[in-house]
Amino acid sequence: MTATSRKHVLILDFGSQTTQLIARRVRELNVYCEVWPYHAPAERIAAFAPAALILSGGPASVSDPDHPAPSLEALAADVPVLGICYGCQWLNHHLGGEIARSETREFGAATLTRKERPALFARVADGPVPVWMSHSDKIATLAPGLQTVATSDSGVIAAVRHTERPWWGVQFHPEVIHTPSGGDLLAAFLLDIAGVEADWTPERFVDQATARIQEQVGPKDRVVCGVSGGVDSVVAATLIHRAIGDRLHGVFVDNGLMRQDEATSVRALLSDEIGLPMTYVDASERFISELSGVDDPEQKRKIIGRVFVEVFEEAASTLPSANWLAQGTLYPDVIESVSVRGPSATIKTHHNVGGLPERMALGLVEPLRDLFKDEVRALGRELGLPESAVSRRPFPGPGLAIRILGPITVDRLTVLRAADAIVREEIDSLPMAGDVWQCFAVLLPVRSVGVMGDARTYDNVLAVRAVSSVDGMTADWSRLPHDALARISSRVINEVAGINRVVYDISSKPPATIEWE
């Protein structure tokens, strides 16, 4: 998307793992934004004509000789700028201030004390401000023109402003949920200080995405769309169907790695409730055969991605002029897979991104590539999809293959399906079920000794995972009631042959990921 007036926000990415959270918080304010690498050319930034610039955090230090720096011409004096963490330090450094290693590193919760009531904090309630810090450098000497507007409880400069320009900097991270007033701070910067128009809505995205799809595909080509039943693929297919009608043909691939009875329920959703033109392919034996003996998670993802595309190419060959493949790739998928818009570290290959082979006979249509999960759900409701499709919990493309640690076998899949069904059934019955963003079972490559009916057993260990989150970029483990965990353990051990021990995963993201592989 290209801005035609100063009403959109540009985020320059210095490699922070939370840069995409900044974008999500901005869009929550109904403000359109894009994330570009910090080294984007000044002329490109000028053409975008941003109403405001946000400089993200990052792992580098401005004390390093080769520290990342944006094009200086991009910092026009009249464009409001907000530097976050590294972005704040770089702004101070760029203006002539000094950055030094902090004697007391700040990682985690902190409390700010404001000086008077600066405009950046105008929407934040009076009193101490809880924030989330993550830095080991500090502002040692303020640059000319900058002044301190808040300090942390350890005495470190935590927020600054320029006395003549609409430039601000914060040492903490307003984008994370651990900074409760972060949304208010961003609203004050964007809506009050920068005067950005809050006109980014799902309705507008539908109109723009429809036009882009029509332009990309053209008036005659057909699109083959992989529809798994998950919210991403269903919304993508529905959006493309709106744009090109029956020139979209959905393909549902049963890869043999789905949950219990899922293939049947997905077919009913796609055909009966949504009415998409569909072809159904049972490739379960092919996938499981290709995965035989493979225990490395990256290899699993790459194999599944390769076979998935091969199946699609074969299905597309039966359709006239089918030369496009649609995917429900989201922005978090991209940032966790490859550094496409900045220097962020790769965490894992996503099945929709890094798993695709270089040789692929189909072009890609990815209408949701720049959206977050909550935006996709809002888009689905705008498109009129049933709530059962929109609110479905995330399920990874590689399916149960990455929830079985170690090699995949038919027997292990059978055990995990039965156990996973119990886990989801029990959690869905809880009053707090709506607060659980994702829940599932993981079959571990571990066996333990147990006693059943006075006899010794030596069977599998099952891990239960339940997390709360908004977009999957960060997550906290769900505090399930102890009696619910007891019921899950009892039912799994008694009803699923081959499991004699159940454990509960209490790791948050970060440092762990939501999936185990």
Side-chain angles (χ1 to χ4, degrees), residues 237-259:
T238 304
L239 184 59
I240 296 170
H241 190 246
R242 172 174 290 201
I244 65 172
D246 287 344
R247 288 189 290 127
L248 166 79
H249 197 93
V251 176
F252 170 72
V253 177
D254 183 354
N255 58 15
L257 305 170
M258 303 187 77
R259 293 170 292 193

Side-chain angles (χ1 to χ4, degrees), residues 247-393:
R247 288 189 290 127
L248 166 79
H249 197 93
V251 176
F252 170 72
V253 177
D254 183 354
N255 58 15
L257 305 170
M258 303 187 77
R259 293 170 292 193
Q260 189 163 287
D261 301 325
E262 193 161 30
T264 301
S265 62
V266 168
R267 291 185 64 164
L269 168 70
L270 300 176
S271 297
D272 302 338
E273 292 192 57
I274 301 177
L276 293 175
M278 294 295 302
T279 292
Y280 299 93
V281 181
D282 184 355
S284 54
E285 291 185 5
R286 181 170 172 180
F287 276 89
I288 295 172
S289 175
E290 292 272 4
L291 290 167
S292 177
V294 177
D295 60 5
D296 179 76
E298 282 293 284
Q299 283 299 109
K300 289 180 184 178
R301 289 175 178 270
K302 291 181 183 297
I303 290 171
I304 291 168
R306 173 178 57 78
V307 176
F308 187 70
V309 171
E310 291 172 356
V311 171
F312 260 73
E313 290 177 331
E314 294 167 6
S317 68
T318 66
L319 302 172
S321 303
N323 47 8
W324 295 94
L325 169 66
Q327 291 188 156
T329 307
L330 304 189
Y331 215 0
D333 302 336
V334 175
I335 200 62
E336 288 193 348
S337 303
V338 61
S339 303
V340 293
R341 294 196 176 184
S344 304
T346 297
I347 304 300
K348 61 185 178 182
T349 299
H350 188 269
H351 67 283
N352 278 350
V353 185
L356 299 179
E358 293 182 5
R359 178 205 58 80
M360 190 175 69
L362 303 175
L364 278 179
V365 180
E366 298 176 305
L368 312 180
R369 188 179 178 88
D370 290 323
L371 296 186
F372 297 96
K373 179 71 74 172
D374 55 323
E375 292 181 304
V376 175
R377 295 191 196 280
L379 181 60
R381 295 184 179 97
E382 178 67 28
L383 291 169
L385 291 174
E387 187 61 30
S388 60
V390 174
S391 60
R392 183 178 185 261
R393 289 196 182 101

Side-chain angles (χ1 to χ4, degrees), residues 304-506:
I304 291 168
R306 173 178 57 78
V307 176
F308 187 70
V309 171
E310 291 172 356
V311 171
F312 260 73
E313 290 177 331
E314 294 167 6
S317 68
T318 66
L319 302 172
S321 303
N323 47 8
W324 295 94
L325 169 66
Q327 291 188 156
T329 307
L330 304 189
Y331 215 0
D333 302 336
V334 175
I335 200 62
E336 288 193 348
S337 303
V338 61
S339 303
V340 293
R341 294 196 176 184
S344 304
T346 297
I347 304 300
K348 61 185 178 182
T349 299
H350 188 269
H351 67 283
N352 278 350
V353 185
L356 299 179
E358 293 182 5
R359 178 205 58 80
M360 190 175 69
L362 303 175
L364 278 179
V365 180
E366 298 176 305
L368 312 180
R369 188 179 178 88
D370 290 323
L371 296 186
F372 297 96
K373 179 71 74 172
D374 55 323
E375 292 181 304
V376 175
R377 295 191 196 280
L379 181 60
R381 295 184 179 97
E382 178 67 28
L383 291 169
L385 291 174
E387 187 61 30
S388 60
V390 174
S391 60
R392 183 178 185 261
R393 289 196 182 101
F395 184 61
L400 299 181
I402 59 171
R403 293 178 179 174
I404 294 178
L405 275 59
I408 309 300
T409 66
V410 173
D411 288 343
R412 299 191 80 198
L413 282 166
T414 300
V415 169
L416 181 57
R417 281 195 185 97
D420 180 76
I422 292 171
V423 170
R424 290 183 292 115
E425 179 185 337
E426 288 293 337
I427 292 177
D428 285 341
S429 69
L430 299 175
M432 64 172 293
D435 298 328
V436 177
W437 193 75
Q438 199 166 357
C439 59
F440 53 89
V442 182
L443 191 61
L444 304 184
V446 175
R447 299 176 71 188
S448 71
V449 174
V451 178
M452 291 185 180
D454 295 326
R456 178 185 184 274
T457 63
Y458 190 54
D459 282 330
N460 296 290
V461 178
L462 186 84
V464 176
R465 180 75 156 143
V467 299
S468 59
S469 181
V470 175
D471 49 31
M473 293 295 290
T474 61
D476 194 12
W477 61 278
S478 298
R479 272 61 171 176
L480 299 182
H482 289 181
D483 57 347
L485 292 172
R487 284 195 305 272
I488 290 173
S489 178
S490 176
R491 286 193 58 190
V492 166
I493 292 172
N494 285 302
E495 297 176 27
V496 183
I499 296 175
N500 69 356
R501 190 178 300 270
V502 176
V503 298
Y504 188 50
D505 183 350
I506 59 170

Side-chain angles (χ1 to χ4, degrees), residues 68-147:
S71 299
L72 301 184
E73 299 89 342
L75 297 181
D78 63 332
V79 175
V81 176
L82 175 63
I84 296 175
C85 199
Y86 176 87
C88 174
Q89 294 172 2
W90 180 86
L91 194 63
N92 183 71
H93 173 81
H94 166 60
L95 294 174
E98 294 183 6
I99 301 297
R101 204 70 171 173
S102 180
E103 300 85 1
T104 304
R105 298 188 299 173
E106 292 183 312
F107 292 99
T111 303
L112 302 190
T113 300
R114 290 168 286 187
K115 297 180 180 296
E116 300 179 350
R117 193 173 180 85
L120 191 64
F121 291 84
R123 295 176 178 237
V124 179
D126 292 333
V129 183
V131 298
W132 189 261
M133 296 281 196
S134 182
H135 67 97
S136 54
D137 286 354
K138 68 175 182 178
I139 296 176
T141 304
L142 279 175
L146 291 184
Q147 65 178 202

